Amino acid sequence: MNALTFHGRHQVVYQAIPDPQIKAPTDVIVKVKLCAICGSDLHVYHEHEKGIDHETVMGHEFMGEVVEVGKSIRHLKAGDVVMSPFSTSCGQCFYCMKGLTSRCVFSQLFGWVEKGKGLHGAQAEYVRVPIAESTLIRIPKGISDEQALMLGDIIPTGYFCAQQAEIKPDQVYAVVGCGPVGLMTIIGAIEQGATTLYAIDTVEERLAMAAKFGAIPIDASKTNPVSVLREVTENRGADAVMEAVGNKAAGKLAYELVRPGGIISMVGVCTDEQMAFSPTEAYNKNLTFKVGRCPARHLMDQLIPIVRSGRYDFTSIITHRLALKDGAKGYEMFANKKDNCLKVVMGLGG
Ligand code: NAD
Ligand code: ZN
């Protein structure tokens, strides 16, 4: 088959590799129909996250059709059209039972192979899905392929970021970063009842999209967001800040924006060795700080009705639909925000 594989910093290559094989009786092979590039793939692309083997198949956002099932699979069969969270989960361990499927004791992240161990990604013609019956969901009626693709990661991640912010009406919120995850966080916060929500970035088109989804945009290259938030809160700051960037500057900004006793909810993957604020600074604000990988599998069931309701135009963030063979160009465009690139979706046919 053909796949997009990692070959070092800024080198994603479309190449022929062996087809994935069933390795365990609980595995399934999925023929990928659509896959997408995520901000998390960019951490690998820029080699901000290190350790991943060369020739690892990239990507963790996908949907497709089951083509082969392992011996103990009972509820999935060839021909089923499925969506998948970006990491696998067993559905039965302590963490899965608590709804923290992202910390399942058997969890593996698609697109992460280190020293020969791990799971290849889904920017490929086929992908092996371990513990498939608890990981995959058959796509219900009323959900389009592109919505299903987004349900595997960015829709739940945005919703999770807002959940951690404990949204209540009549409070003042800020979202830092208006990439795909930040935009989904805006939708998540509004769905959970946010009435006053500021969205911060420096990219005009992304801020315009944030406004379209109901946030008040602040272009941090022109206006100081901390002053804006202070002005509308009698100098206190935001009740909660949702960070969807993944770098130290954004973490620092989140800290400056939040009021004493407030919450920072961080879904951005910050690869720096140090936190953006010190223990003393956290103490001095009586801060609640929540961070981590979204339990996408757990949230997907709950988000299906919201997506199906048609209340939000989730897929309007997709700016580029490419053939998988043009994936390297997709990475380059997304990483550099070329041609107003906001979300790249790839299919075999383009
Ligand atoms: P992206 O790179 O497209 O978006 C990041 C946005 O932040 C960009 O629009 C950029 O202009 C903006 N930005 C950069 N620095 C900023 C700053 N200092 N202040 C304000 N805005 C700033 O990526 P994305 O796909 O939206 O993903 C965002 C983050 O979410 C990434 O770190 C990704 O790894 C992470 N992520 C986490 C999870 C999880 O489970 N926690 C899941 C998916 C993605
Ligand atoms: Zn992702």
Side-chain angles (χ1 to χ4, degrees), residues 2-3 11 29 50 66 82 101 141 143 150 202 211 291 336 344:
N2 292 301
Q11 286 181 54
I29 303 293
K50 297 194 169 68
V66 172
V82 290
T101 48
K141 280 206 173 64
I143 300 282
M150 291 173 67
T202 52
V291 61
N336 299 302
V344 178

Side-chain angles (χ1 to χ4, degrees), residues 37-41 60-61 86 153-154 181 343:
I37 307 176
C38 177
S40 298
D41 296 320
H60 53 262
E61 299 184 4
F86 60 96
D153 183 346
I154 59 174
V181 173
K343 187 75 183 171

Side-chain angles (χ1 to χ4, degrees), residues 155 158-160 162-163 167-169 183-195 197 213-214 242 302-312 314:
I155 295 176
Y159 196 82
F160 172 66
Q163 263 185 339
I167 304 287
K168 296 170 196 70
L183 292 168
M184 295 302 112
T185 301
I186 292 169
I187 293 180
I190 286 175
E191 176 65 23
Q192 289 169 52
T195 44
L197 178 64
F213 288 144
M242 293 157 261
Q302 172 177 346
L303 291 169
I304 287 167
I306 296 172
V307 173
R308 208 168 16 197
S309 75
R311 283 203 286 285
Y312 308 100
F314 292 100

Side-chain angles (χ1 to χ4, degrees), residues 39-40 43 153 157 179-181 201 206 244-245 267 269 292-294 334:
S40 298
H43 299 308
D153 183 346
T157 300
V181 173
D201 205 299
R206 294 180 178 211
V245 179
V267 290
V269 179
R293 182 176 290 167
C294 166
F334 182 49

